[in-house]
Amino acid sequence: MLSKKTKYGLKALTYLARQEGNTPVQVGEIAVNENIPQKFLESILLTLRKSGCLGSKKGKHGGYYLIKKPSDIIMADVMRVLEGPIALVPCVSLNFYEKCDDCPDEITCSVHKLMIQVRDSTLNVFRNNTLADVCKTSKDENFIK
Amino acid sequence: MLSKKTKYGLKALTYLARQEGNTPVQVGEIAVNENIPQKFLESILLTLRKSGCLGSKKGKHGGYYLIKKPSDIIMADVMRVLEGPIALVPCVSLNFYEKCDDCPDEITCSVHKLMIQVRDSTLNVFRNNTLADVCKTSKDENFIK
DNA sequence: TGTATTTCCTATTAAATCGATAGGAATAAT
DNA sequence: ATTATTCCTATCGATTTAATAGGAAATACA
């Protein structure tokens, strides 16, 4: 299950991507429009900024803004920042690998093999979607099913 | 992330699938061979039985056994019993649907659309793998990558 | 220069979930 | 009867999650 953190983070990113210029948008504005608790959103945007997904400006008229074009923001990267590993098991994770302590042998582990398939198929989706893709709704003209 | 419950459950099922006959196998035997806390495994096998994935026999010489051929056991069904929804968000779940309380409109929700893709690709894996497939290790001769 | 505004940072809390354990009832074989 | 096993309910401790609190640091602007 997706955490609220991730869900809120994704919504905030799409909100920013839909902005006209690149002027900073305040947390409060995003929070109100996307129904997200403001203080919680604050901490989420902070981690997104620290990981290089977002830029920020402090003080009056400050806020957050995208530092890359939406079409250059790969969802796999965003998901890893917000949700952590994409794999369902650490032993098949590309970026967060860990050995299972209860598994004598990965090669013969049947769970392992199944989970690699799931990882690859999920990764395929997240790698082939940019923030720009995600922003297109089914209402948009150029939306291709 | 996959819960321990699911991981243990899958391992137990493959253990049973690899048995010769259909004579009941005791929880203790599975627990020892798969490095699973016995009492925990007991409760997992119980839910698998209640959901129709397994049969059981009480008393002396009792235990658990498969009631279907491994090749007839679809992983999607098993996963739903053990882990719950396959979808990452309830609003895109086929079997556990729930409306988001913070989302005004599913049609235009960008998260929604992305998560449908993830659900479909994951489901594709779980629907196309039976317990028999999962049991094949990469060591097996007929294993096809 | 000072005041209002906003991000930044750390700590804390309440609730939910997870992993595991405990103890015994029910059932079956011998 | 005795022994072995599943079945059932309850509970516990640890971890994670979602959210809140309070204030420091930075910036715009009057």
Side-chain angles (χ1 to χ4, degrees):
Chain A
M1 279 285 156
L2 216 62
S3 65
K4 293 264 185 182
K5 178 182 173 185
T6 301
K7 195 182 174 191
Y8 292 160
L10 292 179
K11 285 190 161 196
L13 285 172
T14 61
Y15 188 91
L16 289 175
R18 280 195 271 259
Q19 295 296 309
E20 291 296 317
N22 250 25
T23 53
V25 180
Q26 295 167 20
V27 175
E29 179 186 333
I30 305 174
V32 167
N33 284 288
E34 298 288 346
N35 290 305
I36 305 172
Q38 172 156 353
K39 271 289 189 182
F40 193 16
L41 181 57
E42 233 176 68
S43 69
I44 296 167
L45 294 182
L46 207 51
T47 64
L48 281 170
R49 197 222 58 189
K50 284 182 180 171
S51 70
C53 297
L54 284 180
S56 71
K57 195 187 166 196
K58 284 190 188 175
K60 207 168 190 174
H61 300 163
Y64 289 92
Y65 52 90
L66 297 179
I67 50 180
K68 289 198 284 188
K69 279 188 302 177
S71 57
D72 287 338
I73 299 175
I74 311 293
M75 293 315 292
D77 300 327
V78 173
M79 288 301 297
R80 288 205 180 92
V81 168
L82 289 171
E83 189 73 6
I86 286 167
L88 291 181
V89 187
C91 73
V92 303
S93 173
L94 299 175
N95 292 258
F96 302 82
Y97 174 83
E98 258 178 73
K99 193 183 175 310
C100 297
D101 43 355
D102 59 319
C103 245
D105 180 15
E106 262 171 32
I107 311 291
T108 58
C109 175
S110 41
V111 176
H112 187 81
K113 189 163 58 77
L114 181 65
M115 290 306 138
I116 283 185
Q117 292 181 59
V118 176
R119 179 203 67 191
D120 286 343
S121 73
T122 305
L123 213 42
N124 193 51
V125 172
F126 287 141
R127 279 184 176 156
N128 287 304
N129 274 278
T130 67
L131 185 55
D133 297 321
V134 171
C135 281
K136 290 181 204 145
T137 68
S138 40
K139 282 186 177 172
D140 292 350
E141 312 106 54
N142 331 13
F143 178 75
I144 297 155
K145 212 257 145 158
Chain B
M1 279 284 156
L2 216 61
S3 65
K4 292 264 184 184
K5 177 181 172 184
T6 302
K7 195 181 175 191
Y8 292 160
L10 291 178
K11 285 190 162 194
L13 284 173
T14 61
Y15 187 90
L16 289 175
R18 279 195 270 260
Q19 295 297 308
E20 291 297 317
N22 251 23
T23 54
V25 181
Q26 295 166 21
V27 175
E29 179 186 333
I30 305 173
V32 168
N33 284 289
E34 297 289 346
N35 290 305
I36 305 172
Q38 173 157 353
K39 271 288 188 182
F40 194 14
L41 181 57
E42 231 176 71
S43 68
I44 296 168
L45 295 182
L46 206 51
T47 64
L48 281 170
R49 197 223 58 190
K50 284 182 179 173
S51 70
C53 297
L54 285 180
S56 71
K57 194 186 166 198
K58 285 189 186 176
K60 206 166 191 174
H61 300 163
Y64 289 91
Y65 52 89
L66 297 180
I67 50 179
K68 289 198 284 188
K69 281 188 302 180
S71 57
D72 286 338
I73 298 175
I74 312 292
M75 292 316 290
D77 299 327
V78 173
M79 288 302 297
R80 289 206 179 93
V81 168
L82 289 171
E83 189 73 6
I86 286 167
L88 291 180
V89 186
C91 71
V92 303
S93 172
L94 299 176
N95 292 257
F96 301 83
Y97 175 83
E98 258 179 72
K99 192 182 176 311
C100 299
D101 43 355
D102 59 319
C103 245
D105 180 16
E106 262 171 32
I107 312 289
T108 58
C109 175
S110 40
V111 176
H112 187 82
K113 189 163 59 76
L114 182 66
M115 291 307 141
I116 283 183
Q117 291 180 60
V118 176
R119 178 204 66 191
D120 285 343
S121 75
T122 306
L123 212 42
N124 193 49
V125 173
F126 286 141
R127 279 185 176 155
N128 287 304
N129 273 278
T130 68
L131 185 57
D133 298 320
V134 170
C135 281
K136 291 179 203 146
T137 70
S138 41
K139 281 185 177 173
D140 290 350
E141 313 107 54
N142 330 14
F143 177 75
I144 297 154
K145 213 258 148 163

